[in-house]
Each structure stands twice: as C-alpha cells, then as structure tokens.
Amino acid sequence: MAEATHRRRVFSGVQPTGGLTLGNYLGAVKRFVAMQDEGEAETIYCLVDMHAITAGWPGREALRAATHELAAAFLACGLDPARSIIFNQSQVPAHAELAWIFNCVARLGWLNRMTQFKDKAGRDREAASVGLFAYPNLMAADILVYHATHVPVGEDQKQHLELTRDIAAKFNNDFGAPDFFPLAEPVIEGAATRVMSLRDGTKKMSKSDASDMSRINLTDDADTIALKIRKARTDPEPLPGSVEGLESRPEARNLVNIYAALADTTPQEVLAEFAGRPFSEFKPRLADLTVATLAPISQRMRELMADPGELDRVLGEGADRAAAIAEPILAQTYDIIGFVRSRRMATGA
Ligand code: TYM
C-alpha cells in the first residue's frame, strides 16, 4: 500500500542512551546494513537524541558521548555515509515541527494504550514527562517527514509503528490529503527480532537492565562475552532436534536464535547441527561466533571514537542531506494545513 504512491524509502532510528546491546545489533543495526547493501532504496538512519531525553537527562557530556559512541557504532557495523544518510535528530528541526502537528492528530486514547510508555513510566505515571507520553508522535514524525515507506526495527517497536500508520491515515483523511503520508511498513525480520535477557528468557535484553550480565554490549571484550554466555541461564536438557522442541524453553530458544542470527542462518539449521548436544558444547561455539562478530566492530568503534571531529562532520553532512528531503515535505504539510507562510520556506515542488 505504501509503495503504490510513494517511492521506496527506508528510515529507522536508535536512541543514544549509552551502549548498544547485541539485541540492538541483531534486531536493528544489522538489518539497517543489509537494507543499505541491498541498494534497492534510499536508506536514512537517525540517532534520535531528542527521544533520548524523554526518560531523563543524562547530562550534557554523557549525551554528547553517547551520541558519538552511537555514530561510531553505526559506522563500525557497516553503515556507510556515502550510501546512507546518517545524522542526529536534533540537527533537523523538521522532526520536532512535524511532531507538534502529530500531537494534534494522535488521540490521547491511542497513546494511553502504548505498552512501552506503561513500562517506562512504571508505577508513578504522574511523574513521567509529557515527552515520554508523546514519544510515539515524535517517532511518527521521524518516519513521515521523509515519506519513508519501510522501517526496520525489533519486535518491541511494532505497536509504535502501528500508531504511525494510524497517524498517517488520520492526517490524510482529516486534512483532505489522500495518500499524502505513506502507511509505512515495519520490517521485522531475521532470527533475532526479540533478543532476550541472558538471565531471564522471558525479559527483553535491554541497555537499561540493572544487571550487566543480562546483556552483551557491542564493546564487551572477548573474555567478558565468553563469561556472560557461559553463565547464561539455560535448562539441563540437551538441545532438541526441531524448533517445536524449544517452545517451553525460552532461554534455550533465545541462544539458538542468537546463534542463527549471527550465522545468517535459521534456528532450524542450527538445531540440525546441535541436536542432542548439551549446552556445555553449544555455549563455547556461540561465544566464539559472538566474539568473531563483535571484536572487529568494537575495535573499529575505538578507532572512530578517537576522532569525534570526524564523527561530527559525518553527522553534520548527513543532517544537511536529511533536511533537504524533510523541509519540502514539512512545507507541503504546512500548506495542506493552511498555515500562512509569507516568509520563504523551501517547497521543493
Ligand atoms: P531503541 O534505541 O530502544 O532501540 C533501537 C532498535 O533496537 C531494537 N531492539 C531490539 N531488537 C531485538 N531484541 C532486543 N532485545 C532489542 N532491543 C532493542 C529496537 O526494536 C529498535 O529497532 N523508538 C525507537 C527509536 C526510534 C525509531 C524512530 C525507530 C525513534 N524514532 C523511527 C524507528 C523509526 C527505540 O526505542 O529504539
């Protein structure tokens, strides 16, 4: 549906909230690189620094450092500024401007249903920032200000993307502009769209988990990775011969999914190789595979982070290219709404 009237364009975002996990890598960034390399569409990847202050301000230096670290991670994982637009959100004001419009389109009832808000706000919802509540509207603006049609994300962002489609449809309908905003499609693909905690197979692997043993960070060294995988919770049974055998074994399923995603294969293939083997055999193989993938990434990240000026240059250049797409779309949006624009604003028509 999105492609009928809109050119294929890929957009996604990651928050610079300090340290990417293996979950972010397998669920999102690895897919970003794959979509860039396919070369079938323009790819736009954003460090969403304005989202990163919705749950509290980490401090000026910490936010700047997290932004540089994430930029380095994007590049070290294989994103290429010559083939993708890479920038941070706050450098392109059109995101925040369109988000305001969407604050007037989205309904309170819709936002009240967002499970991520409920999780992040916790028990004391009255104390949550308005920004945290309106977070999905800014996310919709991120996507729609580029008329993006495809959004690679992990499973946990599905509800936000459904909301983005609802916002697009309601805007198009209420403002009499059929097909103006595309109904962007989530791209939730691969064996690891929901990587779980290494300590509890029913909880998502997350940067904010209190226990560092629950996650693998992109910057963990080989010994730490091996230790975390060795200590990962499992059950005493050997690996089954088919994926059905993983059904009530969340920890085993998680490790098999991680292996499959890292090896670019399927869980079924992994089980074909390891059926009947104990975790004491599987875990060292998984650790080796993880280290082999992450060691070059963290090495490259260290080199890139040594030159923050170069990272700033990449982000600045990306922001100029992003703004050149976003500003005409925002101008058309203002025009549809009926805002008087007597000063010059790019129309790109
Ligand atoms: P963030 O920064 O929390 O996560 C970035 C991406 O990583 C994915 N992810 C995971 N995938 C698999 N397993 C996990 N354990 C795991 N943890 C995180 C997330 O699904 C996400 O794709 N709201 C977004 C950021 C955002 C955005 C956007 C995304 C802002 N605007 C527009 C797409 C389009 C977020 O919280 O990302």
mmCIF file of all heavy atoms in Angstrom, residues 11-17 20-29 32 48 51 89 116 120 135 138-140 142-143 151-157 160-161 192-197 204-207, ligand 1:
data_model
loop_
_atom_site.group_PDB
_atom_site.id
_atom_site.type_symbol
_atom_site.label_atom_id
_atom_site.label_comp_id
_atom_site.label_asym_id
_atom_site.label_seq_id
_atom_site.Cartn_x
_atom_site.Cartn_y
_atom_site.Cartn_z
ATOM 1 N N PHE A 11 13.688 4.221 6.584
ATOM 2 C CA PHE A 11 14.120 5.078 7.706
ATOM 3 C C PHE A 11 14.103 4.255 8.989
ATOM 4 O O PHE A 11 13.202 3.443 9.204
ATOM 5 C CB PHE A 11 13.142 6.264 7.881
ATOM 6 C CG PHE A 11 13.534 7.144 9.052
ATOM 7 C CD1 PHE A 11 14.325 8.271 8.860
ATOM 8 C CD2 PHE A 11 13.150 6.821 10.350
ATOM 9 C CE1 PHE A 11 14.726 9.055 9.939
ATOM 10 C CE2 PHE A 11 13.552 7.592 11.436
ATOM 11 C CZ PHE A 11 14.335 8.708 11.224
ATOM 12 N N SER A 12 15.097 4.470 9.842
ATOM 13 C CA SER A 12 14.985 3.945 11.209
ATOM 14 C C SER A 12 15.821 4.787 12.160
ATOM 15 O O SER A 12 16.639 5.605 11.728
ATOM 16 C CB SER A 12 15.383 2.470 11.287
ATOM 17 O OG SER A 12 14.877 1.930 12.512
ATOM 18 N N GLY A 13 15.592 4.573 13.452
ATOM 19 C CA GLY A 13 16.289 5.366 14.462
ATOM 20 C C GLY A 13 16.705 4.530 15.650
ATOM 21 O O GLY A 13 16.130 3.474 15.922
ATOM 22 N N VAL A 14 17.737 5.009 16.325
ATOM 23 C CA VAL A 14 18.208 4.374 17.562
ATOM 24 C C VAL A 14 18.504 5.493 18.560
ATOM 25 O O VAL A 14 19.043 6.542 18.182
ATOM 26 C CB VAL A 14 19.491 3.539 17.321
ATOM 27 C CG1 VAL A 14 19.996 2.936 18.631
ATOM 28 C CG2 VAL A 14 19.246 2.422 16.306
ATOM 29 N N GLN A 15 18.175 5.264 19.820
ATOM 30 C CA GLN A 15 18.434 6.293 20.829
ATOM 31 C C GLN A 15 19.880 6.230 21.319
ATOM 32 O O GLN A 15 20.348 5.148 21.673
ATOM 33 C CB GLN A 15 17.553 6.058 22.056
ATOM 34 C CG GLN A 15 16.083 6.105 21.788
ATOM 35 C CD GLN A 15 15.297 6.014 23.080
ATOM 36 O OE1 GLN A 15 15.345 6.916 23.906
ATOM 37 N NE2 GLN A 15 14.595 4.916 23.282
ATOM 38 N N PRO A 16 20.535 7.381 21.405
ATOM 39 C CA PRO A 16 21.866 7.392 22.014
ATOM 40 C C PRO A 16 21.739 7.436 23.533
ATOM 41 O O PRO A 16 21.901 8.477 24.159
ATOM 42 C CB PRO A 16 22.496 8.675 21.449
ATOM 43 C CG PRO A 16 21.342 9.576 21.163
ATOM 44 C CD PRO A 16 20.143 8.699 20.897
ATOM 45 N N THR A 17 21.416 6.284 24.086
ATOM 46 C CA THR A 17 21.260 6.243 25.547
ATOM 47 C C THR A 17 22.382 5.429 26.174
ATOM 48 O O THR A 17 22.229 4.921 27.283
ATOM 49 C CB THR A 17 19.869 5.681 25.950
ATOM 50 O OG1 THR A 17 19.496 4.673 25.031
ATOM 51 C CG2 THR A 17 18.802 6.738 25.958
ATOM 52 N N LEU A 20 25.244 0.150 22.825
ATOM 53 C CA LEU A 20 24.336 -0.738 22.097
ATOM 54 C C LEU A 20 24.486 -2.162 22.619
ATOM 55 O O LEU A 20 25.582 -2.593 22.981
ATOM 56 C CB LEU A 20 24.678 -0.743 20.613
ATOM 57 C CG LEU A 20 24.214 0.426 19.760
ATOM 58 C CD1 LEU A 20 24.396 0.096 18.284
ATOM 59 C CD2 LEU A 20 22.761 0.760 20.037
ATOM 60 N N THR A 21 23.397 -2.910 22.615
ATOM 61 C CA THR A 21 23.445 -4.324 23.011
ATOM 62 C C THR A 21 23.405 -5.201 21.767
ATOM 63 O O THR A 21 23.091 -4.737 20.665
ATOM 64 C CB THR A 21 22.236 -4.703 23.885
ATOM 65 O OG1 THR A 21 21.074 -4.660 23.051
ATOM 66 C CG2 THR A 21 22.068 -3.759 25.065
ATOM 67 N N LEU A 22 23.666 -6.477 22.002
ATOM 68 C CA LEU A 22 23.532 -7.447 20.922
ATOM 69 C C LEU A 22 22.096 -7.447 20.380
ATOM 70 O O LEU A 22 21.873 -7.696 19.193
ATOM 71 C CB LEU A 22 23.909 -8.838 21.454
ATOM 72 C CG LEU A 22 24.007 -9.959 20.435
ATOM 73 C CD1 LEU A 22 25.120 -9.708 19.424
ATOM 74 C CD2 LEU A 22 24.251 -11.304 21.137
ATOM 75 N N GLY A 23 21.132 -7.144 21.236
ATOM 76 C CA GLY A 23 19.727 -7.034 20.807
ATOM 77 C C GLY A 23 19.553 -5.916 19.793
ATOM 78 O O GLY A 23 18.941 -6.106 18.738
ATOM 79 N N ASN A 24 20.106 -4.741 20.088
ATOM 80 C CA ASN A 24 20.022 -3.625 19.134
ATOM 81 C C ASN A 24 20.707 -3.990 17.823
ATOM 82 O O ASN A 24 20.225 -3.651 16.741
ATOM 83 C CB ASN A 24 20.739 -2.375 19.668
ATOM 84 C CG ASN A 24 20.125 -1.808 20.928
ATOM 85 O OD1 ASN A 24 20.817 -1.591 21.915
ATOM 86 N ND2 ASN A 24 18.835 -1.585 20.914
ATOM 87 N N TYR A 25 21.836 -4.686 17.948
ATOM 88 C CA TYR A 25 22.594 -5.026 16.738
ATOM 89 C C TYR A 25 21.817 -6.015 15.871
ATOM 90 O O TYR A 25 21.570 -5.764 14.690
ATOM 91 C CB TYR A 25 23.975 -5.595 17.113
ATOM 92 C CG TYR A 25 24.732 -6.077 15.906
ATOM 93 C CD1 TYR A 25 25.186 -5.172 14.949
ATOM 94 C CD2 TYR A 25 24.968 -7.430 15.697
ATOM 95 C CE1 TYR A 25 25.851 -5.610 13.807
ATOM 96 C CE2 TYR A 25 25.640 -7.873 14.554
ATOM 97 C CZ TYR A 25 26.069 -6.958 13.615
ATOM 98 O OH TYR A 25 26.714 -7.390 12.490
ATOM 99 N N LEU A 26 21.392 -7.140 16.471
ATOM 100 C CA LEU A 26 20.738 -8.183 15.666
ATOM 101 C C LEU A 26 19.332 -7.757 15.235
ATOM 102 O O LEU A 26 18.904 -8.058 14.119
ATOM 103 C CB LEU A 26 20.686 -9.498 16.437
ATOM 104 C CG LEU A 26 22.052 -10.135 16.719
ATOM 105 C CD1 LEU A 26 21.879 -11.393 17.570
ATOM 106 C CD2 LEU A 26 22.801 -10.457 15.429
ATOM 107 N N GLY A 27 18.606 -7.077 16.144
ATOM 108 C CA GLY A 27 17.227 -6.689 15.833
ATOM 109 C C GLY A 27 17.158 -5.509 14.878
ATOM 110 O O GLY A 27 16.186 -5.368 14.136
ATOM 111 N N ALA A 28 18.163 -4.637 14.903
ATOM 112 C CA ALA A 28 18.044 -3.404 14.132
ATOM 113 C C ALA A 28 19.267 -3.125 13.247
ATOM 114 O O ALA A 28 19.181 -3.204 12.022
ATOM 115 C CB ALA A 28 17.785 -2.230 15.088
ATOM 116 N N VAL A 29 20.416 -2.821 13.846
ATOM 117 C CA VAL A 29 21.519 -2.249 13.062
ATOM 118 C C VAL A 29 22.027 -3.196 11.963
ATOM 119 O O VAL A 29 22.334 -2.774 10.854
ATOM 120 C CB VAL A 29 22.670 -1.776 13.982
ATOM 121 C CG1 VAL A 29 23.762 -1.078 13.168
ATOM 122 C CG2 VAL A 29 22.141 -0.817 15.048
ATOM 123 N N PHE A 32 19.786 -2.732 9.248
ATOM 124 C CA PHE A 32 19.995 -1.438 8.560
ATOM 125 C C PHE A 32 21.068 -1.622 7.481
ATOM 126 O O PHE A 32 20.946 -1.126 6.371
ATOM 127 C CB PHE A 32 20.519 -0.350 9.512
ATOM 128 C CG PHE A 32 19.642 0.045 10.672
ATOM 129 C CD1 PHE A 32 20.115 0.984 11.590
ATOM 130 C CD2 PHE A 32 18.377 -0.474 10.856
ATOM 131 C CE1 PHE A 32 19.345 1.380 12.670
ATOM 132 C CE2 PHE A 32 17.598 -0.087 11.934
ATOM 133 C CZ PHE A 32 18.088 0.844 12.846
ATOM 134 N N VAL A 48 18.426 9.268 17.455
ATOM 135 C CA VAL A 48 17.287 10.054 17.936
ATOM 136 C C VAL A 48 17.600 10.643 19.318
ATOM 137 O O VAL A 48 17.102 10.196 20.345
ATOM 138 C CB VAL A 48 15.967 9.247 17.894
ATOM 139 C CG1 VAL A 48 15.531 9.008 16.452
ATOM 140 C CG2 VAL A 48 16.074 7.906 18.605
ATOM 141 N N HIS A 51 14.616 11.888 21.458
ATOM 142 C CA HIS A 51 13.942 10.829 22.221
ATOM 143 C C HIS A 51 14.745 10.472 23.473
ATOM 144 O O HIS A 51 14.187 10.033 24.469
ATOM 145 C CB HIS A 51 13.799 9.561 21.358
ATOM 146 C CG HIS A 51 12.629 9.604 20.421
ATOM 147 N ND1 HIS A 51 12.767 9.699 19.058
ATOM 148 C CD2 HIS A 51 11.303 9.566 20.647
ATOM 149 C CE1 HIS A 51 11.574 9.714 18.488
ATOM 150 N NE2 HIS A 51 10.663 9.634 19.429
ATOM 151 N N GLN A 89 18.963 13.549 15.139
ATOM 152 C CA GLN A 89 17.632 14.148 15.022
ATOM 153 C C GLN A 89 17.590 15.650 15.334
ATOM 154 O O GLN A 89 16.946 16.420 14.633
ATOM 155 C CB GLN A 89 16.772 13.379 16.024
ATOM 156 C CG GLN A 89 15.299 13.572 16.029
ATOM 157 C CD GLN A 89 14.725 12.757 17.192
ATOM 158 O OE1 GLN A 89 15.360 12.590 18.231
ATOM 159 N NE2 GLN A 89 13.529 12.237 17.006
ATOM 160 N N GLN A 116 4.915 0.478 25.801
ATOM 161 C CA GLN A 116 6.260 0.947 26.153
ATOM 162 C C GLN A 116 6.180 2.123 27.127
ATOM 163 O O GLN A 116 7.005 2.235 28.036
ATOM 164 C CB GLN A 116 7.035 1.336 24.899
ATOM 165 C CG GLN A 116 8.502 1.419 25.188
ATOM 166 C CD GLN A 116 9.375 0.996 23.998
ATOM 167 O OE1 GLN A 116 8.940 0.364 23.050
ATOM 168 N NE2 GLN A 116 10.613 1.365 24.042
ATOM 169 N N LYS A 120 7.925 2.093 30.716
ATOM 170 C CA LYS A 120 8.955 3.078 31.059
ATOM 171 C C LYS A 120 8.498 4.007 32.181
ATOM 172 O O LYS A 120 9.317 4.452 32.978
ATOM 173 C CB LYS A 120 9.344 3.904 29.833
ATOM 174 C CG LYS A 120 10.195 3.122 28.851
ATOM 175 C CD LYS A 120 10.885 4.054 27.868
ATOM 176 C CE LYS A 120 11.705 3.273 26.871
ATOM 177 N NZ LYS A 120 12.171 4.083 25.754
ATOM 178 N N TYR A 135 6.191 10.509 22.990
ATOM 179 C CA TYR A 135 7.317 9.877 22.291
ATOM 180 C C TYR A 135 6.894 9.261 20.947
ATOM 181 O O TYR A 135 7.536 9.496 19.922
ATOM 182 C CB TYR A 135 7.885 8.824 23.250
ATOM 183 C CG TYR A 135 9.023 7.976 22.807
ATOM 184 C CD1 TYR A 135 10.243 8.019 23.481
ATOM 185 C CD2 TYR A 135 8.904 7.065 21.752
ATOM 186 C CE1 TYR A 135 11.296 7.201 23.112
ATOM 187 C CE2 TYR A 135 9.942 6.262 21.382
ATOM 188 C CZ TYR A 135 11.140 6.324 22.062
ATOM 189 O OH TYR A 135 12.176 5.521 21.682
ATOM 190 N N LEU A 138 6.581 11.798 18.069
ATOM 191 C CA LEU A 138 7.865 12.233 17.504
ATOM 192 C C LEU A 138 8.424 11.128 16.604
ATOM 193 O O LEU A 138 8.992 11.397 15.550
ATOM 194 C CB LEU A 138 8.851 12.585 18.636
ATOM 195 C CG LEU A 138 10.267 13.006 18.207
ATOM 196 C CD1 LEU A 138 10.246 14.215 17.268
ATOM 197 C CD2 LEU A 138 11.130 13.322 19.443
ATOM 198 N N MET A 139 8.228 9.895 17.023
ATOM 199 C CA MET A 139 8.698 8.765 16.221
ATOM 200 C C MET A 139 7.963 8.731 14.867
ATOM 201 O O MET A 139 8.574 8.514 13.814
ATOM 202 C CB MET A 139 8.478 7.487 17.023
ATOM 203 C CG MET A 139 9.022 6.281 16.370
ATOM 204 S SD MET A 139 9.123 4.915 17.553
ATOM 205 C CE MET A 139 9.149 3.574 16.373
ATOM 206 N N ALA A 140 6.659 8.976 14.903
ATOM 207 C CA ALA A 140 5.886 9.022 13.644
ATOM 208 C C ALA A 140 6.411 10.149 12.766
ATOM 209 O O ALA A 140 6.549 9.999 11.544
ATOM 210 C CB ALA A 140 4.400 9.217 13.951
ATOM 211 N N ASP A 142 9.465 11.372 12.768
ATOM 212 C CA ASP A 142 10.776 10.958 12.233
ATOM 213 C C ASP A 142 10.606 10.237 10.898
ATOM 214 O O ASP A 142 11.343 10.469 9.936
ATOM 215 C CB ASP A 142 11.475 9.957 13.174
ATOM 216 C CG ASP A 142 11.826 10.527 14.532
ATOM 217 O OD1 ASP A 142 11.935 11.759 14.650
ATOM 218 O OD2 ASP A 142 11.977 9.718 15.486
ATOM 219 N N ILE A 143 9.646 9.329 10.889
ATOM 220 C CA ILE A 143 9.445 8.463 9.718
ATOM 221 C C ILE A 143 8.759 9.230 8.587
ATOM 222 O O ILE A 143 9.194 9.217 7.444
ATOM 223 C CB ILE A 143 8.575 7.245 10.129
ATOM 224 C CG1 ILE A 143 9.309 6.412 11.190
ATOM 225 C CG2 ILE A 143 8.165 6.412 8.916
ATOM 226 C CD1 ILE A 143 8.413 5.416 11.932
ATOM 227 N N VAL A 151 10.405 0.516 7.548
ATOM 228 C CA VAL A 151 11.071 0.852 8.806
ATOM 229 C C VAL A 151 11.589 -0.425 9.478
ATOM 230 O O VAL A 151 10.812 -1.162 10.105
ATOM 231 C CB VAL A 151 10.095 1.594 9.755
ATOM 232 C CG1 VAL A 151 10.832 2.089 10.995
ATOM 233 C CG2 VAL A 151 9.407 2.758 9.050
ATOM 234 N N PRO A 152 12.892 -0.710 9.348
ATOM 235 C CA PRO A 152 13.433 -1.892 10.026
ATOM 236 C C PRO A 152 13.576 -1.646 11.534
ATOM 237 O O PRO A 152 14.213 -0.670 11.943
ATOM 238 C CB PRO A 152 14.817 -2.066 9.374
ATOM 239 C CG PRO A 152 15.178 -0.706 8.834
ATOM 240 C CD PRO A 152 13.896 0.006 8.543
ATOM 241 N N VAL A 153 12.983 -2.523 12.324
ATOM 242 C CA VAL A 153 13.015 -2.392 13.791
ATOM 243 C C VAL A 153 12.941 -3.773 14.425
ATOM 244 O O VAL A 153 12.618 -4.761 13.762
ATOM 245 C CB VAL A 153 11.801 -1.581 14.335
ATOM 246 C CG1 VAL A 153 11.958 -0.091 14.109
ATOM 247 C CG2 VAL A 153 10.494 -2.092 13.747
ATOM 248 N N GLY A 154 13.198 -3.817 15.722
ATOM 249 C CA GLY A 154 12.941 -5.023 16.506
ATOM 250 C C GLY A 154 11.456 -5.113 16.835
ATOM 251 O O GLY A 154 10.702 -4.139 16.687
ATOM 252 N N GLU A 155 11.082 -6.298 17.275
ATOM 253 C CA GLU A 155 9.683 -6.614 17.602
ATOM 254 C C GLU A 155 9.037 -5.590 18.564
ATOM 255 O O GLU A 155 7.864 -5.253 18.432
ATOM 256 C CB GLU A 155 9.733 -8.004 18.263
ATOM 257 C CG GLU A 155 8.454 -8.617 18.685
ATOM 258 C CD GLU A 155 7.687 -9.207 17.528
ATOM 259 O OE1 GLU A 155 8.306 -9.868 16.665
ATOM 260 O OE2 GLU A 155 6.463 -9.000 17.506
ATOM 261 N N ASP A 156 9.829 -5.063 19.495
ATOM 262 C CA ASP A 156 9.252 -4.178 20.525
ATOM 263 C C ASP A 156 8.726 -2.853 19.965
ATOM 264 O O ASP A 156 8.035 -2.124 20.678
ATOM 265 C CB ASP A 156 10.278 -3.914 21.648
ATOM 266 C CG ASP A 156 11.521 -3.192 21.151
ATOM 267 O OD1 ASP A 156 11.756 -3.159 19.929
ATOM 268 O OD2 ASP A 156 12.270 -2.662 21.988
ATOM 269 N N GLN A 157 9.060 -2.539 18.720
ATOM 270 C CA GLN A 157 8.595 -1.268 18.154
ATOM 271 C C GLN A 157 7.335 -1.417 17.299
ATOM 272 O O GLN A 157 6.855 -0.453 16.712
ATOM 273 C CB GLN A 157 9.706 -0.634 17.300
ATOM 274 C CG GLN A 157 10.920 -0.229 18.108
ATOM 275 C CD GLN A 157 10.567 0.742 19.228
ATOM 276 O OE1 GLN A 157 9.884 1.738 19.001
ATOM 277 N NE2 GLN A 157 10.983 0.431 20.436
ATOM 278 N N HIS A 160 4.402 0.901 18.130
ATOM 279 C CA HIS A 160 4.662 2.288 17.736
ATOM 280 C C HIS A 160 4.485 2.473 16.229
ATOM 281 O O HIS A 160 4.030 3.523 15.774
ATOM 282 C CB HIS A 160 6.085 2.701 18.125
ATOM 283 C CG HIS A 160 6.265 2.934 19.595
ATOM 284 N ND1 HIS A 160 7.481 2.871 20.217
ATOM 285 C CD2 HIS A 160 5.374 3.232 20.557
ATOM 286 C CE1 HIS A 160 7.329 3.125 21.504
ATOM 287 N NE2 HIS A 160 6.054 3.333 21.736
ATOM 288 N N LEU A 161 4.828 1.447 15.467
ATOM 289 C CA LEU A 161 4.681 1.583 14.013
ATOM 290 C C LEU A 161 3.224 1.470 13.582
ATOM 291 O O LEU A 161 2.811 2.103 12.602
ATOM 292 C CB LEU A 161 5.556 0.561 13.298
ATOM 293 C CG LEU A 161 7.043 0.887 13.433
ATOM 294 C CD1 LEU A 161 7.897 -0.125 12.697
ATOM 295 C CD2 LEU A 161 7.349 2.268 12.896
ATOM 296 N N ALA A 192 16.423 -12.936 15.061
ATOM 297 C CA ALA A 192 16.541 -12.328 16.394
ATOM 298 C C ALA A 192 15.842 -10.976 16.454
ATOM 299 O O ALA A 192 16.447 -9.958 16.755
ATOM 300 C CB ALA A 192 18.011 -12.190 16.763
ATOM 301 N N THR A 193 14.549 -10.970 16.193
ATOM 302 C CA THR A 193 13.806 -9.715 16.252
ATOM 303 C C THR A 193 13.472 -9.354 17.697
ATOM 304 O O THR A 193 13.038 -8.255 17.979
ATOM 305 C CB THR A 193 12.495 -9.824 15.457
ATOM 306 O OG1 THR A 193 11.764 -10.952 15.958
ATOM 307 C CG2 THR A 193 12.769 -10.025 13.976
ATOM 308 N N ARG A 194 13.638 -10.328 18.584
ATOM 309 C CA ARG A 194 13.431 -10.058 20.009
ATOM 310 C C ARG A 194 14.469 -10.864 20.797
ATOM 311 O O ARG A 194 14.228 -12.020 21.166
ATOM 312 C CB ARG A 194 11.999 -10.451 20.401
ATOM 313 C CG ARG A 194 11.621 -10.012 21.789
ATOM 314 C CD ARG A 194 10.134 -10.224 22.036
ATOM 315 N NE ARG A 194 9.804 -9.925 23.412
ATOM 316 C CZ ARG A 194 9.635 -8.700 23.902
ATOM 317 N NH1 ARG A 194 9.728 -7.658 23.121
ATOM 318 N NH2 ARG A 194 9.357 -8.516 25.175
ATOM 319 N N VAL A 195 15.632 -10.265 21.006
ATOM 320 C CA VAL A 195 16.685 -10.931 21.766
ATOM 321 C C VAL A 195 16.354 -10.772 23.251
ATOM 322 O O VAL A 195 16.037 -9.678 23.714
ATOM 323 C CB VAL A 195 18.066 -10.306 21.444
ATOM 324 C CG1 VAL A 195 19.158 -10.936 22.286
ATOM 325 C CG2 VAL A 195 18.383 -10.462 19.952
ATOM 326 N N MET A 196 16.422 -11.877 23.973
ATOM 327 C CA MET A 196 16.002 -11.856 25.380
ATOM 328 C C MET A 196 17.212 -11.753 26.314
ATOM 329 O O MET A 196 18.355 -12.011 25.917
ATOM 330 C CB MET A 196 15.203 -13.122 25.700
ATOM 331 C CG MET A 196 14.068 -13.400 24.734
ATOM 332 S SD MET A 196 12.954 -11.998 24.445
ATOM 333 C CE MET A 196 11.949 -12.090 25.922
ATOM 334 N N SER A 197 16.923 -11.388 27.560
ATOM 335 C CA SER A 197 17.957 -11.282 28.592
ATOM 336 C C SER A 197 18.653 -12.636 28.772
ATOM 337 O O SER A 197 18.018 -13.690 28.684
ATOM 338 C CB SER A 197 17.290 -10.870 29.902
ATOM 339 O OG SER A 197 18.070 -11.258 30.998
ATOM 340 N N LYS A 204 13.120 -8.898 27.759
ATOM 341 C CA LYS A 204 13.912 -8.406 26.624
ATOM 342 C C LYS A 204 15.325 -8.022 27.055
ATOM 343 O O LYS A 204 15.511 -7.459 28.130
ATOM 344 C CB LYS A 204 13.194 -7.171 26.067
ATOM 345 C CG LYS A 204 13.680 -6.668 24.754
ATOM 346 C CD LYS A 204 12.899 -5.418 24.333
ATOM 347 C CE LYS A 204 13.322 -4.194 25.122
ATOM 348 N NZ LYS A 204 12.837 -2.924 24.585
ATOM 349 N N MET A 205 16.324 -8.331 26.232
ATOM 350 C CA MET A 205 17.679 -7.822 26.506
ATOM 351 C C MET A 205 17.633 -6.305 26.350
ATOM 352 O O MET A 205 17.161 -5.800 25.340
ATOM 353 C CB MET A 205 18.690 -8.426 25.527
ATOM 354 C CG MET A 205 20.116 -7.963 25.804
ATOM 355 S SD MET A 205 21.346 -8.623 24.639
ATOM 356 C CE MET A 205 21.550 -10.291 25.200
ATOM 357 N N SER A 206 18.134 -5.594 27.359
ATOM 358 C CA SER A 206 17.970 -4.142 27.346
ATOM 359 C C SER A 206 19.176 -3.430 27.950
ATOM 360 O O SER A 206 19.800 -3.931 28.884
ATOM 361 C CB SER A 206 16.692 -3.808 28.123
ATOM 362 O OG SER A 206 16.723 -2.487 28.569
ATOM 363 N N LYS A 207 19.465 -2.223 27.380
ATOM 364 C CA LYS A 207 20.563 -1.413 27.909
ATOM 365 C C LYS A 207 20.263 -0.981 29.334
ATOM 366 O O LYS A 207 21.161 -0.637 30.087
ATOM 367 C CB LYS A 207 20.743 -0.105 27.118
ATOM 368 C CG LYS A 207 20.519 -0.146 25.662
ATOM 369 C CD LYS A 207 20.648 1.257 25.017
ATOM 370 C CE LYS A 207 19.928 1.273 23.674
ATOM 371 N NZ LYS A 207 20.097 2.436 22.854
HETATM 372 P P1 TYM B 1 15.920 1.842 20.809
HETATM 373 O O1 TYM B 1 17.059 2.778 20.827
HETATM 374 O O2 TYM B 1 15.317 1.436 22.084
HETATM 375 O O3 TYM B 1 16.297 0.515 20.030
HETATM 376 C C1 TYM B 1 16.871 0.578 18.747
HETATM 377 C C2 TYM B 1 16.436 -0.610 17.919
HETATM 378 O O4 TYM B 1 16.867 -1.816 18.552
HETATM 379 C C3 TYM B 1 15.775 -2.730 18.637
HETATM 380 N N1 TYM B 1 15.942 -3.543 19.852
HETATM 381 C C4 TYM B 1 15.917 -4.863 19.873
HETATM 382 N N2 TYM B 1 15.751 -5.779 18.889
HETATM 383 C C5 TYM B 1 15.790 -7.090 19.240
HETATM 384 N N3 TYM B 1 15.976 -7.517 20.517
HETATM 385 C C6 TYM B 1 16.136 -6.639 21.531
HETATM 386 N N4 TYM B 1 16.336 -7.066 22.778
HETATM 387 C C7 TYM B 1 16.108 -5.241 21.223
HETATM 388 N N5 TYM B 1 16.244 -4.118 21.965
HETATM 389 C C8 TYM B 1 16.134 -3.087 21.115
HETATM 390 C C9 TYM B 1 14.542 -1.832 18.714
HETATM 391 O O5 TYM B 1 13.386 -2.527 18.308
HETATM 392 C C10 TYM B 1 14.916 -0.719 17.776
HETATM 393 O O6 TYM B 1 14.622 -1.088 16.427
HETATM 394 N N6 TYM B 1 11.666 4.083 19.447
HETATM 395 C C11 TYM B 1 12.911 3.557 18.915
HETATM 396 C C12 TYM B 1 13.778 4.634 18.294
HETATM 397 C C13 TYM B 1 13.115 5.436 17.216
HETATM 398 C C14 TYM B 1 12.713 4.946 15.935
HETATM 399 C C15 TYM B 1 12.177 6.067 15.263
HETATM 400 C C16 TYM B 1 12.773 3.694 15.326
HETATM 401 C C17 TYM B 1 12.796 6.755 17.259
HETATM 402 N N7 TYM B 1 12.234 7.138 16.099
HETATM 403 C C18 TYM B 1 11.652 5.947 13.959
HETATM 404 C C19 TYM B 1 12.271 3.583 14.019
HETATM 405 C C20 TYM B 1 11.740 4.696 13.367
HETATM 406 C C21 TYM B 1 13.665 2.907 20.074
HETATM 407 O O7 TYM B 1 13.231 2.902 21.167
HETATM 408 O O8 TYM B 1 14.858 2.448 19.788
#
